[in-house]
Amino acid sequence: MGISIGLVIGYFFFVYFQSSDVKDPAIRPLVEQDSKTLQRILPEIPLWVKNPDYDRVDWLNRFIELMWPYLDKAICKTAKNIAKPIIAKQIPKYKIDSVEFEELTLGCLPPTFQGMDKLIHDDKGNATISNDGATIMKLLDVVHPVAKILVDIAKSQD
């Protein structure tokens, strides 16, 4: 009984004592906003939204993030192997006893990619840069029958 009375009194206060200084917001489509207002409303728009010529490559960023500890070690080892002979040639010129790498790292944060375009070369030497799947499919010279079916399906989606 007490809960029922409390709900009725609460509803009464809610309906009759609403704040009068609250105004309905003016809602306008984003298309009608100027660029400064859009940047204030949406401060961190990803590049693939701002520039539609980018493909999203979140999958690549996730892969690199998972593999970064291993990639860091491999890249640093390769860099050391390339740099050591070059440095060894230069040591006598400058009368240095030795140069050693104590530790080499690229850091704990992997690089990130914001977008990707594809560069396609054909047999005639023409180059096309695109991220549009339909354009890429038109440029492919597919021989395998199953691959042709997949290309036809992709073209029909356009």
Side-chain angles (χ1 to χ4, degrees):
M1 177 90 171
I3 294 176
S4 317
I5 294 173
L7 287 174
V8 171
I9 292 173
Y11 178 74
F12 174 77
F13 280 121
F14 177 75
V15 170
Y16 291 105
F17 294 108
Q18 288 186 0
S19 177
S20 60
D21 62 340
V22 176
K23 298 177 184 174
D24 289 332
I27 300 174
R28 294 184 1 211
L30 290 177
V31 179
E32 295 177 5
Q33 306 288 340
D34 62 347
S35 63
K36 287 186 180 182
T37 306
L38 283 174
Q39 286 178 350
R40 184 178 46 79
I41 294 172
L42 307 166
E44 294 185 23
I45 300 174
L47 271 179
W48 60 269
V49 173
K50 289 181 188 175
N51 303 320
D53 64 327
Y54 281 105
D55 270 341
R56 291 185 63 178
V57 287
D58 295 337
W59 60 271
L60 179 61
N61 289 331
R62 182 73 181 132
F63 174 76
I64 291 174
E65 180 183 347
L66 293 172
M67 293 296 297
W68 188 244
Y70 310 104
L71 290 172
D72 179 39
K73 288 178 184 174
I75 292 168
C76 290
K77 184 177 179 181
T78 303
K80 283 181 185 179
N81 291 340
I82 292 171
K84 278 185 180 180
I86 296 170
I87 293 170
K89 284 183 184 177
Q90 301 300 320
I91 285 177
K93 279 186 188 177
Y94 299 104
K95 299 178 183 170
I96 300 173
D97 291 335
S98 70
V99 175
E100 297 291 328
F101 292 101
E102 184 175 319
E103 183 180 347
L104 181 62
T105 182
L106 299 175
C108 60
L109 294 175
T112 57
F113 297 92
Q114 298 297 324
M116 188 179 303
D117 284 343
K118 285 80 177 171
L119 174 63
I120 303 165
H121 292 279
D122 62 9
D123 296 336
K124 299 174 186 172
N126 297 327
T128 303
I129 299 175
S130 177
N131 71 342
D132 178 32
T135 303
I136 294 167
M137 290 296 166
K138 288 176 189 172
L139 296 172
L140 291 177
D141 184 24
V142 180
V143 179
H144 195 278
V146 176
K148 282 185 180 183
I149 292 171
L150 292 173
V151 169
D152 291 339
I153 291 170
K155 285 180 182 178
S156 70
Q157 298 294 318
D158 191 28

